[in-house]
């Protein structure tokens, strides 16, 4: 059984974690083992109507038969979170894809974790792992109100390593005070809403490359570099397709009979990552880091486009 396979899971538990946040316990419908995963991994929940949503795994990675995810009710969303909150019941079965990890925790002697709102979910198993290996770590966790912040009781066992900052009580997170100056061996992991991640990037602008890593739950608000059509050569097929403005590379190659595995179609899950053999991608995803973008040897074809008139893909 591989993590890339789709499977059916059953809802074994539902728990209210805070105002607006519901956690789900998921087990394999056939009672079997679920794929192993590492901190930072996410899964796809395939909901009725073919809708797919991505959620970080936030439970015990050593429990081979149970996953935990947490779902924030998003009134302005596309309906998936409302369906989970209002209609998904214990005993129901849904589809599951993954796990996949675009936000891996790398070994380090010291970690600084920054979380905002539901962004706490991928950080929870990272903290567990940091504790397990004896690493030094601290967490700065912000939210709109204390009542809206999930898993605070679970985090309380860590004492003063965790700082909880409700905005209505204490204001915005003091990122400069928390991060301090770069120190050798320190890694920074952040997850949360776009304004928080922008502030984190600005605060950590002087940190060495590779030491700060963030994960987004929503796509970057970026426009294309090129506003005209471009060609995509499919190296394995030996054919070429045209990608017009307003159409994705993913859809254009599908029209040519090449199906690329995809999920979110927003550049946030990494499922459709494709090797680039020639040309310069216009990266519009929220998965690849700056070094991966600069290498220009892969792209997420659901949202990314081309800087120049032609790309060659390993398809």
């Amino acid at each position: 059984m591989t993590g890339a396979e789709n499977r059916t899971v059953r809802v074994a538990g539902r728990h209210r974690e805070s105002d607006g946040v519901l956690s789900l316990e998921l087990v394999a419908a056939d009672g079997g083992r679920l794929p192993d995963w590492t901190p930072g991994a996410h899964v796809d929940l395939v909901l009725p109507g073919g809708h797919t949503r991505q959620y970080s795994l936030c439970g015990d990675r050593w429990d081979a038969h149970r996953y935990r995810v947490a779902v924030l009710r998003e009134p302005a969303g596309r309906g998936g979170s409302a369906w989970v909150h209002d209609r998904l019941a214990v005993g129901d079965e849904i589809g599951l894809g993954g796990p996949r990890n675009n936000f891996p925790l790398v070994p380090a002697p010291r970690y600084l974790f920054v979380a905002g709102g539901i962004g706490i979910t991928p950080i929870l198993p990272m903290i567990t792992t940091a504790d397990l290996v004896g690493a030094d770590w601290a967490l700065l966790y912000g939210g709109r109100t204390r009542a809206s912040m999930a898993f605070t009781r679970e985090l309380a066992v860590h004492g003063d390593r965790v700082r909880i900052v409700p905005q209505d009580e204490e204001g915005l997170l003091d990122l400069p005070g928390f991060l301090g100056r770069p120190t050798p061996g320190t890694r920074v992991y952040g997850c949360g809403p776009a304004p928080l991640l922008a502030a984190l990037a600005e605060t950590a602008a002087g940190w060495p490359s590779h030491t700060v890593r963030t994960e987004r739950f929503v796509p970057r608000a970026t426009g294309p570099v090129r506003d005209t059509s471009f060609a995509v050569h499919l190296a394995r097929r030996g054919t070429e397709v045209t990608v017009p403005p307003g159409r994705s590379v993913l859809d254009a190659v599908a029209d040519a009979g090449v199906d690329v595995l995809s999920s979110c179609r927003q550049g946030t899950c990494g499922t459709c990552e494709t090797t680039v053999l020639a040309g310069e991608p216009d990266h519009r995803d929220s998965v690849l880091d700056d070094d991966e973008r600069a290498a220009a040897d892969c792209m997420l074809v659901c949202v990314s486009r081309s800087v120049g008139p032609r790309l060659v893909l390993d398809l």
Side-chain angles (χ1 to χ4, degrees), residues 5-9 11 24 26 43-55 80 83-84 88 92-98 100 262-263:
E5 293 175 354
N6 288 328
R7 69 200 74 243
T8 301
V9 292
V11 179
L24 302 174
L26 306 171
V43 291
D44 304 327
L45 297 191
V46 184
L47 307 177
H51 300 294
T52 302
R53 301 291 184 269
Q54 288 75 41
Y55 298 103
W83 190 90
V84 169
L88 188 61
D92 287 350
E93 294 186 354
I94 55 175
L96 181 138
R100 286 179 290 274
S262 65
S263 179

Side-chain angles (χ1 to χ4, degrees), residues 31-47:
R33 179 188 178 99
L34 293 168
D36 294 339
W37 58 281
T38 54
H42 69 270
V43 291
D44 304 327
L45 297 191
V46 184
L47 307 177

Side-chain angles (χ1 to χ4, degrees), residues 266-288:
Q266 293 185 301
T268 59
C269 75
T271 307
C272 66
E273 183 176 326
T274 300
T275 299
V276 177
L277 301 177
E280 182 181 356
D282 171 16
H283 295 292
R284 304 176 65 198
D285 65 274
S286 302
V287 172
L288 302 178

